[in-house]
Amino acid sequence: MIKKLESYNIVFIGFMGVGKTTISSHIAKLLNKELIETDVYIAEKANMDIPSIFDKFGENYFRDLESEAVAEISKKRGVIISCGGGAVIREKNVLELKESGIIIKLTATPNTVLQRVKGSKERPILNGHMNTEFIASLMEKRDNFYSNAADITISTDGKTVDEVAKECIEKSILFIESK
Ligand code: S3P
């Protein structure tokens, strides 16, 4: 049955700190697939890390690079794609990702997100806003984008990486069968 997944990409979306990187890399190992993270792709292409891109050129420029990355990565098949938390804000990106495979929205509560991201300075959007109130309010503003793009939604709260990864694979297979 896993063979059925071969011709699809599995695409992870969701808010910062929901576990996209961790889960997608675990699944890539389980399924022996290539993992492509939009942020890594962007940083390599720009030869600059994400905070420096925001710092030097601003968010809009980053979003343009992100759209370019999504357009290029979506052309691939049979890979695991982990998207930055804002990648589904632009409708064009969503259409390209949807065309390329199954979209899994990962979720976590604002408090879980805070616990996961508070030690990191890698997320310019959260700089100076490392608190549950800001996270909860941005999450609420973003939620429609995630929900409209998603084929499957999976909560990560209180689950192990392996549990979430297996749930992703099982639900992806069911989703493909139902099509
Ligand atoms: C962003 C999320 C980040 C990264 C950038 C902007 C966002 O990725 O793309 O800092 O707007 O939500 P992660 O979701 O992997 O942290």
Side-chain angles (χ1 to χ4, degrees), residues 41-163:
Y41 190 93
I42 293 164
E44 277 174 4
K45 213 171 156 193
N47 201 20
M48 204 182 280
D49 61 28
I50 305 298
S52 305
I53 297 173
F54 269 77
D55 201 39
K56 290 210 169 79
F57 303 109
E59 182 173 349
N60 273 343
Y61 182 79
F62 171 77
R63 297 297 171 205
D64 289 342
L65 297 185
E66 186 168 56
S67 293
E68 235 175 77
V70 166
E72 290 168 17
I73 297 167
S74 297
K75 294 201 178 97
K76 295 178 177 269
R77 288 296 176 271
V79 298
I80 311 294
I81 302 172
S82 177
C83 294
V88 295
I89 293 173
R90 290 189 179 173
E91 200 187 346
K92 173 182 173 285
N93 300 354
V94 175
L95 295 174
E96 288 163 354
L97 291 166
K98 267 194 174 296
E99 184 70 30
S100 91
I102 306 162
I103 305 197
I104 303 182
K105 169 192 174 186
L106 295 180
T107 68
T109 63
N111 191 43
T112 302
V113 166
L114 180 65
Q115 299 317 314
R116 290 179 184 161
V117 301
K118 67 181 178 192
S120 158
K121 293 201 164 51
E122 297 300 305
R123 296 180 175 90
I125 301 281
L126 296 179
N127 278 350
H129 306 290
M130 275 296 177
N131 58 72
T132 353
E133 292 71 30
F134 180 84
I135 290 172
S137 116
L138 184 59
M139 203 182 258
E140 205 185 311
K141 280 187 204 135
R142 292 256 182 103
D143 198 55
N144 264 346
F145 293 105
Y146 299 131
S147 295
N148 290 338
D151 297 310
I152 298 166
T153 299
I154 295 173
S155 155
T156 64
D157 286 293
K159 296 177 189 161
T160 66
V161 172
D162 204 49
E163 280 167 350

